[in-house]
């Protein structure tokens, strides 16, 4: 039996796909891709928040996914699907190693470590001439037969992974993650290997993040170390704070609303900083539950009996 | 009374409708885009280029606009900050080319952001004029890209040979460049030319754009006791600081900045530490060799940005002029038609008449032939030492006169 | 030029700024348990206000030292007002919430950076030199202005250390930082002390910005680079510890100048970040900290 809210969500997904398929114009295409990738990044960032960690290393994994896929396409001339897979796999595998070492730290310490990790990666990219160093890698194009449908493909992949993350969250695995956030020592006493569970959580989220990076690389055709600074995680945090952490749809909502607003209302440059900064500040001070929380209060039908965020 | 009023109203509406209706003399506005650094150490380049391009557009619009195929077009200049890196350059490219539907880029500063823009502009069929230094930017692979200033290939050989001629005892050089495409392409040329005139390259170092503390690098370079220090493409915001550090450490050899553009910026920051610096992209736009147009622009630039013009900024003006001339010669506003016609015409720029050439060096005629100027900071002022008109230009001008 | 002495002198020059910066950061953390990512913006604002005020005052006919003096005072006041506002409306509600305050301060930093770029434009400014000349110390050279900066930083560090150790305010700050509930039980006005601590930290950032204004090229976002290094220093030295902040700052200054000399600056920065990661994993309290 499909509940009313699930039907609404499914309908929205179909509309998004149709919209991206029939959209005309380069600007609309790049906007759709940008929104979709932001949605997916926010959702994967939120996935790690389930264990209570702010994953500021995310920008680093987006970069790994982007560079790996970029190298696969431009230097080794691999088919597109394989490049995507390689990008995601590289991000996921490396995150497993990094997570194994760093997830021993918690909370603010993990935050600072992941922040440092992102910066180290970014600096390493600037020194590696084989991937273009500071000037970046150019010429990353999706195959010609996909060019017309690229936005639709991106939206499709986004929806698929959103669904995967959602099911994972509501499965037993997801419940363990939330339990770890609430009290990890208690979970340890039940016999679950808390550390490895956290590592796997990071690995899954980073796999998805790697997909985002690979998609971005082929959409922008140019990637450079500046694309993967910690600002990426900051903007994603803005999307999440404004959209609402308690439900995956909050991530979707926040990313869509802020990305579109930023584009249409304010252009970029200094205003981009002001906009995102204000969004975070307002989100934290005024809307602790985000837009989704606001919607929940206004539409009682959306209320769920046991949301993971609360 | 009401009838008079009603008649007057009808006439007014009629006049409005007539004026607003599309007709033979309809005006359209063409957007001209600029992607340049407008913040950070190189901000003066972007801010200046924006101002001077707007001057060019204004003067064309005031003179009646561009007349093509029976329609009149006005120019509008739109500039965005690319922060001298590829990430912002990509965003600027997407905004200009996708969102603003701009088909004419009249200024691109910074090889990295320009490369990011190029893949998009060539695909979308937009014509791009750039002052970026990389050799890889031009050529038959990029039929819609044109450069409007000299690059290392035209600037460095006369600069270095002049320096060697007037400082015959120099034997060693230490090079420093920003760590990106512009720096890497320039360093390769610098190295080759220094070695070819018998000056040994002791070291070649890199720094990240945005660095503020240069003491360590300065100590490292000075420690090798070079005769010459070559600061490559360091923008004036950085070179002034770096030269000051050398002076503090007590080094006083021959100073060179091939991409040196703004003597005044450097002097403001470095004080007398920049005395004697040789520069390859500077020109005295007040002096005897400057044209009246350039002198007038110079006065305006000083009022607007606080500094005299430099060669990079004036590229914006020249590109707008070239664009107008090409549009009228091709009788079309389509970028591809313009690009086809540009190599063949001789047109007016701030320097006087010039043309596009450079087929031998780059594979196709996409390089604006402007003089290569060697200058030096002497006694707190910029002094032009040598101004070379390219041979190809002399031939083209002679042919055009016939 | 004896290279070792020069490297030492370079380290001191660079370290002086980091010391002032990190003292403020660590003080705020110690007293309020908040991570203030917007600290760099206080630094930038002080420098920017001075960069705007000095030419204006000089145009008015003021002699340079007077212009600088007035601008200093003006800059410091401006930043203190900003700090007070931010404390009242933002940070006060997030005390003891490291993650929440981090997120909030990141938002504030972004917002202020954007505002500065808008208000002050992206152009770089260079102020006229206040004190001319170069000084040689045992074979190492530095400008007189930078020497003055070092001396002032040293005095401030010593003053802070003494104040924390001996004065009543210092003892209250330490008490609050160790156990704020016990401190309240002792009758220490926690709220007021917390605010004092925050403002003191802000003042230190402003002083750093003001001292650096005559020496470097000023842009709207110069605070960010120093902020990152300041954070590294504080984490390595120990969040909340004054001696830790000083040791951490000197350590990274040495890494930066020696690494920058023998290798290159970006490698030195990578090394610093790796050290941070190791310290956080192995001894999160830092060299001198106590959690």
């Amino acid at each position: 039996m499909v509940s009313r809210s699930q039907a609404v969500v499914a309908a929205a997904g179909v509309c998004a796909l149709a919209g991206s398929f029939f959209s005309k114009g380069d600007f609309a295409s790049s906007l759709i891709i940008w929104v979709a990738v932001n949605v997916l990044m926010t959702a994967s960032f939120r996935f790690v928040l389930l264990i209570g960690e702010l994953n500021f290393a995310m920008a680093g994994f987006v970069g790994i996914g982007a560079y790996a896929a970029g190298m696969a396409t431009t230097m080794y001339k691999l088919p597109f699907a394989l490049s995507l897979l390689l990008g995601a796999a590289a991000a996921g595998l490396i995150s497993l190693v990094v997570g194994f070492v760093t997830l021993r730290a918690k909370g603010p310490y993990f935050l600072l470590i992941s922040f440092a990790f992102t910066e180290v990666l970014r600096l390493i990219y600037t020194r590696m001439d084989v991937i273009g160093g500071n000037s970046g890698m150019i010429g990353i194009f999706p195959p010609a037969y996909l060019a017309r449908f690229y936005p639709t493909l991106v939206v499709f992949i986004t929806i698929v992974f959103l669904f995967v993350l959602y099911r994972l969250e509501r499965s037993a695995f997801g419940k363990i993650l939330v339990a770890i956030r609430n009290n990890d020592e208690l979970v340890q006493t039940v016999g679950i290997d808390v550390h490895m569970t956290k590592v796997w959580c990071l690995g899954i989220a980073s796999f998805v993040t790697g997909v985002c990076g690979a998609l971005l690389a082929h959409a922008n055709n140019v990637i450079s170390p500046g694309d993967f600074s910690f600002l990426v995680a900051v903007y994603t945090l803005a999307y999440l704070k404004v959209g609402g952490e308690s439900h995956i749809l909050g991530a979707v909502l926040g990313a869509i609303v802020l990305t579109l607003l930023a584009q249409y209302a304010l252009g970029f440059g200094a205003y981009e900083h002001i906009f995102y900064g204000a969004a975070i500040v307002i989100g934290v001070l005024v809307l602790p539950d985000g837009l989704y929380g606001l919607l929940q209060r206004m539409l009682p039908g959306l209320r769920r009996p046991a949301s993971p965020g609360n | 009374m009401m009838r008079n009023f009603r008649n007057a109203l009808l006439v007014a509406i009629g006049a409005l409708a007539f004026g607003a209706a599309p007709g033979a003399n309809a005006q359209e506005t063409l957007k001209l885009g600029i992607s340049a650094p407008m913040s950070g150490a190189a901000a003066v380049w972007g801010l200046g280029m924006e101002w001077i391009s707007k001057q060019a557009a204004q003067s064309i619009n005031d003179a009646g606009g561009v007349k093509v195929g029976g329609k009149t077009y006005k120019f509008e200049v739109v500039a965005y900050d690319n922060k001298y890196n590829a990430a912002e350059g990509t965003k600027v490219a997407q905004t200009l080319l996708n969102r603003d539907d701009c088909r004419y880029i009249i200024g691109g500063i910074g090889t990295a952001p320009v490369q990011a823009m190029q893949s998009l502009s060539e695909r979308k069929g937009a014509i791009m004029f750039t002052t970026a230094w990389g050799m890889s930017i031009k050529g038959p692979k990029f039929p819609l890209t044109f450069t409007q200033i000299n690059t290392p290939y035209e600037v460095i050989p006369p600069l270095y040979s002049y320096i060697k001629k007037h400082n015959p005892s120099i034997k060693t050089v230490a090079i420093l460049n920003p760590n990106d495409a512009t720096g890497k392409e320039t360093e390769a040329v610098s190295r080759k030319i220094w070695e070819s005139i018998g000056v040994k390259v002791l070291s070649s170092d890199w720094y990240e754009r945005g660095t503020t503390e240069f003491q360590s690098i300065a100590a490292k370079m000075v420690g090798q006791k070079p005769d010459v220090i070559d600061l490559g493409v360091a923008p004036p915001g950085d070179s002034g600081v770096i030269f000051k550090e050398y002076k503090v450490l007590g080094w006083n050899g021959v100073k060179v900045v091939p991409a040196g553009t703004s003597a005044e910026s450097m002097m403001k920051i470095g004080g007398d530490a920049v005395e004697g610096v040789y520069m390859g992209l500077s020109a005295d736009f007040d002096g005897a060799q400057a044209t009246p147009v350039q002198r007038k622009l110079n006065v305006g630039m000083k009022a607007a940005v606080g500094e005299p013009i430099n060669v990079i900024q004036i590229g914006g003006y020249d590109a707008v002029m070239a664009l107008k001339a090409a549009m009228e010669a091709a009788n079309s506003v389509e970028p591809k038609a313009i690009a086809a016609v540009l190599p063949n015409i001789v047109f007016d720029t701030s320097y006087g008449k010039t043309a596009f050439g450079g087929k031998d060096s780059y594979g196709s005629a996409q390089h604006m032939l402007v003089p290569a100027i060697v200058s030096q900071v002497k006694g707190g002022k910029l002094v032009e030492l040598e101004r070379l008109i390219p041979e190809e230009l002399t031939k083209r001008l002679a042919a055009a006169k016939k | 030029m004896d290279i070792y002495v020069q490297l030492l002198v370079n380290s001191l020059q660079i370290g002086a700024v980091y010391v002032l910066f990190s003292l403020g950061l660590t003080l705020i953390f110690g007293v309020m348990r908040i991570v203030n990512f917007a600290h760099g913006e206080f630094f930038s604002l002080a420098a920017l206000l001075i960069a705007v005020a000095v030419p204006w005052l000089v145009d008015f006919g003021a002699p340079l030292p007077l212009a600088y003096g007035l601008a200093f005072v003006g800059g410091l006041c401006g930043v203190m007002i900003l700090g007070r506002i931010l404390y009242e409306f933002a940070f006060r509600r997030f005390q003891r919430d490291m993650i929440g305050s981090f997120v909030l301060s990141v938002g504030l930093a972004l917002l202020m950076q954007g505002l500065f770029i808008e208000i002050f434009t992206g152009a770089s400014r260079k102020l006229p030199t206040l004190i001319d000349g170069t000084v040689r110390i045992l074979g190492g050279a530095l400008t007189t202005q930078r020497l003055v900066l070092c001396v002032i930083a040293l005095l401030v560090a010593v003053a802070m250390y003494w104040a924390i150790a001996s004065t009543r305010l210092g003892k209250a700050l330490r008490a609050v930082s160790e156990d704020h509930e016990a401190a309240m039980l002792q009758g220490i006005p926690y709220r007021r002390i917390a605010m004092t601590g925050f403002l003191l930290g802000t003042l230190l950032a402003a002083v750093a910005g003001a001292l650096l204004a005559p020496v470097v090229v000023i842009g709207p976002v110069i605070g960010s680079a120093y902020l990152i290094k300041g954070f590294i220093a504080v984490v390595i030295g120990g969040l909340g510890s004054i001696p830790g902040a000083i040791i951490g700052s000197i350590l990274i200054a040495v890494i930066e100048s020696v690494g920058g000399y023998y290798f290159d600056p970006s490698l030195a920065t990578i090394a610093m970040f790796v050290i941070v990661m190791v310290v956080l994993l192995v001894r999160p309290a830092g060299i001198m900290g106590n959690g």
Side-chain angles (χ1 to χ4, degrees):
Chain A
M1 270 304 302
V2 178
S3 76
R4 211 181 87 163
S5 50
Q6 286 177 334
V8 167
V9 170
V14 170
C15 282
L17 270 173
S20 61
F21 190 74
F22 292 113
S23 73
K24 283 210 182 318
D26 278 332
F27 186 62
S29 302
S30 61
L31 197 60
I32 290 174
I33 297 176
W34 195 19
V35 170
V37 171
N38 281 344
V39 164
L40 198 54
M41 287 213 286
T42 314
S44 68
F45 184 81
R46 180 180 170 275
F47 196 70
V48 181
L49 198 59
L50 290 178
I51 54 171
E53 303 293 352
L54 274 179
N55 180 19
F56 261 64
M58 183 175 119
F61 295 120
V62 176
I64 293 178
Y67 272 114
M71 275 171 37
T73 303
T74 57
M75 298 196 321
Y76 299 108
K77 308 266 191 268
L78 295 176
F80 178 65
L82 201 51
S83 300
L84 268 190
L85 204 57
L86 273 173
L93 284 171
I94 296 182
S95 80
L96 287 177
V97 173
V98 171
F100 187 79
V101 175
T102 61
L103 277 166
R104 299 215 176 269
K106 287 200 283 196
Y109 300 111
F110 178 75
L111 177 65
L112 290 171
I113 292 179
S114 52
F115 176 87
F117 175 73
T118 302
E119 286 299 296
V120 168
L121 265 189
R122 189 182 62 81
L123 286 167
I124 293 181
Y125 296 147
T126 68
R127 302 174 63 81
M128 286 176 64
D129 281 337
V130 68
I131 55 172
N134 247 331
S135 310
M137 193 186 273
I138 56 177
I140 313 173
F141 290 106
Y145 65 85
L146 268 184
R148 173 74 184 85
F149 307 109
Y150 196 64
T152 315
L153 180 65
V154 172
V155 174
F156 180 69
I157 293 181
T158 302
I159 294 181
V160 164
F161 276 105
L162 273 178
F163 188 67
V164 166
L165 286 177
Y166 177 68
R167 294 304 301 175
L168 272 175
E169 184 184 338
R170 297 192 91 47
S171 73
F173 181 70
K175 296 201 167 60
I176 296 178
L177 295 180
V178 176
I180 290 178
R181 180 173 84 203
N182 287 333
N183 189 337
D184 63 334
E185 286 165 15
L186 192 59
V187 176
Q188 185 82 39
T189 62
V190 185
I192 298 177
D193 185 349
V194 167
H195 184 68
M196 282 315 292
T197 311
K198 290 206 278 193
V199 174
W200 280 113
C201 172
L202 184 66
I204 295 171
S206 301
F207 184 85
V208 177
T209 308
V211 170
C212 294
L215 289 174
L216 259 183
H218 289 85
N220 284 341
N221 317 128
V222 176
I223 53 175
S224 64
D227 288 324
F228 310 117
S229 72
F230 69 93
L231 272 183
V232 171
V234 170
Y235 289 172
T236 310
L237 184 64
Y239 302 142
L240 194 58
K241 279 283 166 206
V242 168
E245 299 168 9
S246 59
H247 195 280
I248 201 173
L249 283 182
V252 175
L253 209 52
I256 294 179
V257 167
L258 278 186
T259 310
L260 288 179
L261 263 185
Q263 252 314 310
Y264 279 117
L266 298 166
F268 69 103
Y271 286 110
E272 198 180 30
H273 284 222
I274 298 180
F275 180 71
Y276 281 109
I280 295 183
V281 173
I282 293 177
V284 169
L285 288 179
V286 173
L287 281 177
D289 288 331
L291 286 172
Y292 188 77
L294 211 60
L295 272 178
Q296 261 188 331
R297 273 177 269 160
M298 295 192 316
L299 303 169
L302 274 179
R303 197 158 282 150
R304 310 197 132 272
S307 22
N310 300 327
Chain B
M1 243 234 334
M2 275 311 287
R3 239 180 88 188
N4 283 343
F5 179 68
R6 195 191 63 173
N7 286 345
L9 200 59
L10 279 172
V11 170
I13 295 179
L16 266 172
F18 185 78
N25 278 328
Q27 259 187 44
E28 248 184 65
T29 312
L30 295 175
K31 283 211 186 119
L32 308 182
I34 295 181
S35 162
M38 292 162 88
S39 60
V44 68
W45 289 345
L47 295 169
M49 181 182 261
E50 184 188 10
W51 180 84
I52 215 176
S53 310
K54 287 192 169 153
Q55 297 302 110
Q58 181 90 16
S59 69
I60 292 180
N61 291 347
D62 287 344
V66 183
K67 295 191 179 33
V68 167
K71 279 167 78 161
T72 316
Y73 295 93
K74 302 260 176 179
F75 282 155
E76 182 196 336
V77 172
V78 170
Y80 292 117
D81 183 2
N82 68 20
K83 302 206 174 102
Y84 221 124
N85 66 51
E88 288 296 308
T90 316
K91 278 200 251 184
V92 170
Q94 285 177 348
T95 307
L96 272 177
L97 294 165
N98 287 341
R99 191 183 76 172
D100 292 346
D101 267 326
C102 178
R103 295 195 303 164
Y104 320 93
I105 312 281
I106 49 136
I109 300 182
T111 307
V114 166
Q115 271 178 339
M117 176 175 272
Q118 199 176 37
S119 49
L120 198 56
S121 67
E122 293 284 336
R123 255 197 319 156
K124 290 208 72 171
I127 193 169
M128 171 158 72
F129 292 89
T130 166
T131 55
W133 266 43
M135 187 188 207
S136 52
I137 295 268
K138 292 195 279 275
K141 269 201 296 184
F142 309 107
L144 292 169
T145 304
F146 294 83
T147 46
Q148 71 251 62
I149 60 164
N150 288 319
T151 64
Y153 298 92
E154 292 86 31
V155 166
I156 289 186
L159 178 67
Y160 289 4
S161 22
Y162 185 95
I163 295 176
K164 176 77 178 175
K165 200 163 71 169
H166 287 80
N167 299 280
S169 56
I170 57 174
K171 291 204 184 45
T172 55
V173 64
I175 305 178
L176 178 65
N177 265 298
N179 180 20
D180 65 7
T182 317
K184 294 233 156 71
E185 303 226 11
T186 309
E187 192 258 1
V189 177
S190 291
R191 218 180 239 278
K192 211 170 67 163
I193 309 282
W194 280 125
E195 303 275 341
S196 78
I197 59 174
V199 180
K200 186 157 138 13
V201 175
L202 290 176
S203 67
S204 179
D205 283 300
W206 309 93
Y207 74 91
E208 300 298 316
R209 289 193 194 266
T211 309
T212 49
E213 308 278 6
F214 288 97
Q215 294 100 330
S216 315
I217 302 186
K220 185 175 177 190
M221 293 173 74
V222 167
Q224 302 169 87
K225 300 196 183 8
D227 296 321
V228 184
I229 287 196
D230 178 339
L231 284 190
V233 293
D238 292 335
S239 51
V241 178
I242 306 177
F243 280 127
K244 203 150 176 224
E245 295 297 337
Y246 295 140
K247 176 154 183 263
V248 169
L249 293 169
W251 180 86
N252 196 16
V254 175
K255 309 168 204 142
V256 181
V257 187
T261 55
S262 325
E264 277 208 17
S265 280
M266 273 203 313
M267 286 191 286
K268 236 195 296 188
I269 298 176
D272 54 4
V274 306
E275 177 67 21
V277 170
Y278 287 97
M279 295 191 282
L281 272 188
S282 247
D284 185 0
F285 287 108
D286 260 338
Q289 303 235 24
T291 62
V293 166
Q294 290 174 334
R295 275 192 227 129
K296 193 164 135 235
L297 287 171
N298 207 14
V299 173
M301 176 72 87
K302 280 196 258 209
V305 175
E307 290 188 11
I309 309 180
N310 61 56
V311 173
I312 293 183
Q313 296 158 338
I314 209 164
Y317 187 92
D318 294 337
V320 176
M321 292 297 167
L323 194 62
K324 166 174 182 284
M327 279 182 184
E328 292 179 338
N331 205 23
S332 151
V333 291
E334 288 305 309
K336 289 214 168 66
I338 299 173
V341 126
L342 269 171
N344 305 330
I345 57 173
V346 168
F347 50 91
D348 265 320
T349 64
S350 64
Y351 290 97
K353 290 210 180 298
T354 187
F356 277 91
K359 191 156 179 192
D360 295 330
S361 320
Y362 302 107
S364 51
Q366 291 165 297
H367 172 85
M368 198 186 277
L369 301 164
V370 291
I373 305 171
V374 174
S375 50
Q376 192 184 21
V377 178
K378 268 206 245 204
K381 273 213 243 286
L382 176 69
V383 171
E384 252 189 53
L385 300 167
E386 223 177 51
R387 190 186 268 234
L388 291 162
I389 315 270
E391 230 182 86
E392 200 184 330
L393 180 62
T394 324
K395 282 193 230 153
R396 288 281 292 275
L397 290 177
K401 280 207 177 71
K402 287 202 210 99
Chain C
M1 178 193 73
D2 183 27
I3 191 58
Y4 296 112
V5 181
Q6 188 62 49
L7 284 177
L8 185 64
V9 167
N10 285 353
S11 312
L12 286 175
Q13 288 184 62
I14 305 175
V17 187
Y18 294 156
V19 162
L20 287 172
F21 219 90
S22 50
L23 280 177
L25 270 177
T26 211
L27 187 61
I28 294 180
F29 179 81
V31 174
M32 291 174 70
R33 284 283 184 279
I34 63 176
V35 176
N36 183 14
F37 214 71
H39 203 73
E41 310 314 314
F42 297 136
F43 177 92
S44 302
L45 184 61
L48 284 167
L49 286 174
I50 293 178
V52 163
V54 168
W56 186 69
L57 285 169
V58 167
D59 278 343
F60 248 98
L64 194 61
L66 181 64
Y68 261 110
L70 287 175
F72 269 24
V73 172
L76 290 181
C77 287
V79 174
M80 295 307 288
I81 295 176
L82 177 68
R84 182 77 177 84
I85 295 178
L86 285 184
Y87 176 82
E88 195 59 39
F89 293 108
F91 285 112
R92 194 162 53 110
R93 298 172 21 187
F94 284 86
Q95 291 178 62
R96 331 218 76 77
D97 176 6
M98 273 179 83
I99 305 249
S101 65
F102 178 79
V103 173
L104 178 62
S105 64
V106 163
L108 283 170
L110 261 188
L111 179 60
M112 287 196 283
Q113 272 178 28
L115 284 172
F116 293 165
I117 296 181
E118 230 354 76
I119 301 175
F120 294 99
T121 79
S124 317
R125 301 157 201 271
K126 179 75 179 74
L127 289 172
T129 326
L130 183 53
I131 314 171
D132 250 328
T134 319
V135 166
R136 298 204 81 94
I137 305 182
L138 301 173
L142 73 164
T143 62
T144 320
Q145 267 183 169
R146 284 222 181 234
L147 180 63
V148 169
L149 208 169
C150 289
V151 169
I152 295 185
L154 181 68
L155 288 173
V156 168
V158 166
M160 286 281 318
Y161 190 79
W162 172 83
I164 294 285
S166 319
T167 65
R168 236 177 117 207
L169 173 65
K171 290 195 182 127
L173 286 169
R174 259 190 303 150
V176 163
S177 144
E178 267 184 44
D179 188 339
H180 75 291
E181 283 170 343
M184 286 200 282
L185 283 174
Q186 289 284 338
I188 295 179
Y190 171 64
R191 287 252 165 78
R192 201 143 49 89
I193 295 292
M195 183 175 85
T196 312
F198 184 81
L199 289 178
L200 204 54
T202 309
L203 181 65
L204 283 167
V207 166
L211 284 177
L212 215 61
V215 177
V216 293
V217 176
I218 303 171
V221 291
I222 49 169
S224 321
Y226 291 103
L227 174 75
I228 308 271
K229 301 277 172 58
F231 253 111
I232 296 179
V234 164
V235 167
I236 295 181
L239 280 162
S241 153
I242 301 273
I246 301 175
I247 293 179
S249 304
I250 297 186
L251 189 62
I252 62 168
V254 168
I255 296 178
E256 191 174 319
S257 85
V258 171
Y261 181 84
Y262 286 110
F263 303 101
D264 67 67
S266 75
L267 206 55
T269 314
I270 293 181
M272 277 186 248
F273 276 118
V274 170
I275 295 181
V276 165
M277 286 167 62
V278 168
V279 165
L280 282 171
L281 282 172
V282 168
R283 194 188 149 82
I287 298 180
M288 303 280 305
N290 43 14

